[in-house]
Amino acid sequence: MSEERGKRLSDTGGFTSRDAGPATGATPDDSSAVARPSGKRVARGSSDGGRVSVVKDSDQAGSRRARSAVATGERSGDKPENFFKRLRRYFREVIAELRKVIWPNRKQLTTYTIVVVVFVAVMTAFIFGLDLAFVQGVSWLFG
């Protein structure tokens, strides 16, 4: 039985279906990855054919810092941008986001406005009624 298994492992390059195969970026001699997982699998974009690679814990911390630096616009060695350049970029991004908004047409806007006005009127009447009831109750109690 062990001879068959050894033969199967040698035919597949030392990988079983549970192991991380060559398509995942793991090396065949990396037997410690099978015994003790050291990271999580991360799906990559379509540029590498949809492969999944194993990311080690030390790599995760470094990549998190790199991603946060890129997300905030900070790069090592770069000077911070000018205030006016940042302001201009901010307004360009705001305009780009506003173009993505689905704006209501006139009929929807009228309907939404009527709903809001009616809701505010009902809530105003309700609070006015509660206030009137409390005033009557306090004047009756302390008379």
Side-chain angles (χ1 to χ4, degrees), residues 57-87:
D57 291 334
S58 61
D59 293 342
Q60 287 176 344
S63 66
R64 260 190 242 126
R65 281 191 295 264
R67 274 185 273 153
S68 67
V70 170
T72 58
E74 300 171 5
R75 292 188 181 95
S76 60
D78 288 349
K79 293 191 296 185
E81 288 185 13
N82 184 348
F83 172 75
F84 295 108
K85 286 183 181 179
R86 287 184 295 168
L87 191 64

Side-chain angles (χ1 to χ4, degrees), residues 3-137:
E3 292 175 20
E4 284 182 20
R5 184 172 182 195
K7 185 177 179 186
R8 281 186 291 160
L9 290 177
S10 66
D11 290 343
T12 60
F15 293 101
T16 63
S17 62
R18 289 177 284 139
D19 297 341
T24 63
T27 57
D29 57 348
D30 190 11
S31 61
S32 65
V34 175
R36 180 179 44 89
S38 61
K40 64 180 182 179
R41 296 178 189 265
V42 178
R44 300 287 180 192
S46 62
S47 62
D48 61 352
R51 287 189 254 159
V52 177
S53 64
V54 176
V55 178
K56 304 232 185 232
D57 291 334
S58 61
D59 293 342
Q60 287 176 344
S63 66
R64 260 190 242 126
R65 281 191 295 264
R67 274 185 273 153
S68 67
V70 170
T72 58
E74 300 171 5
R75 292 188 181 95
S76 60
D78 288 349
K79 293 191 296 185
E81 288 185 13
N82 184 348
F83 172 75
F84 295 108
K85 286 183 181 179
R86 287 184 295 168
L87 191 64
R88 182 177 174 204
R89 187 181 70 219
Y90 171 75
F91 283 119
R92 269 192 281 150
E93 291 175 4
V94 166
I95 291 170
E97 289 297 321
L98 285 174
R99 287 186 180 139
K100 296 177 187 178
V101 173
I102 299 173
W103 296 98
N105 58 26
R106 184 172 294 273
K107 183 179 178 181
Q108 290 171 332
L109 191 63
T110 305
T111 304
Y112 298 155
T113 304
I114 290 171
V115 167
V116 168
V117 168
V118 168
F119 178 77
V120 168
V122 168
M123 291 306 293
T124 303
F126 177 70
I127 292 173
F128 176 75
L130 284 177
D131 186 47
L132 191 62
F134 283 130
V135 167
Q136 294 294 328

